[in-house]
Amino acid sequence: MLGQRVRDHIFRSSKRSRLRRLKYGVSQGSVLEPLLFNIYISDLPATVSRKYAYADDHVIMHAGVDWQAVEGVLTKDMATAGEYLQTWKLKLTNYKNGVGRVPPQQQGS
């Protein structure tokens, strides 16, 4: 349906390819892309950590005083997410993955 009507360019090394018919999915940068992706992953499994999303970027966050407990929760939640991704044949983008730690605020500051 959509694939019969949509055409797109493939960009490599800052050069634009000839126009090609898309067989699957939607054109990169399309306004439909984030909407359809969010519908596709709307059944993400429940986690202890909070999940935040913007288009196809997702973050899980967990707060706690004990770093080992926080690490344990995040590890379990990432395993849950990993099983989901594997089931639906999705892959994480390695260069966008990371872990950050925000130290608790000092009282009186």
Side-chain angles (χ1 to χ4, degrees):
M1 172 180 128
L2 198 56
Q4 294 173 351
R5 297 189 192 111
V6 178
R7 294 175 179 259
D8 198 10
H9 292 280
I10 297 172
F11 292 89
R12 289 200 178 126
S13 304
S14 302
K15 295 180 184 177
R16 190 165 52 167
S17 70
R18 65 181 172 81
L19 205 54
R20 298 175 188 216
R21 185 176 302 274
L22 291 175
K23 293 181 183 178
Y24 308 103
V26 295
S27 179
Q28 184 177 5
S30 163
V31 295
L32 284 176
E33 183 181 19
L35 174 67
L36 293 175
F37 182 78
N38 285 328
I39 291 169
Y40 183 71
I41 63 159
S42 63
D43 64 339
L44 275 170
T47 58
V48 175
S49 305
R50 299 187 100 185
K51 293 183 281 216
Y52 299 93
Y54 178 77
D56 62 350
D57 292 324
H58 288 73
V59 174
I60 62 170
M61 297 176 72
H62 186 72
V65 178
D66 179 15
W67 175 246
Q68 288 182 336
V70 170
E71 183 180 30
V73 168
L74 289 172
T75 299
K76 183 179 176 193
D77 288 346
M78 284 302 294
T80 300
E83 290 171 13
Y84 175 86
L85 295 171
Q86 190 172 19
T87 298
W88 295 107
K89 296 180 172 67
L90 298 170
K91 294 182 182 177
L92 293 176
T93 306
N94 288 334
Y95 69 88
K96 292 173 83 175
N97 297 336
V99 174
R101 180 173 185 239
V102 178
Q105 281 187 320
Q106 298 294 324
Q107 295 222 346
S109 50

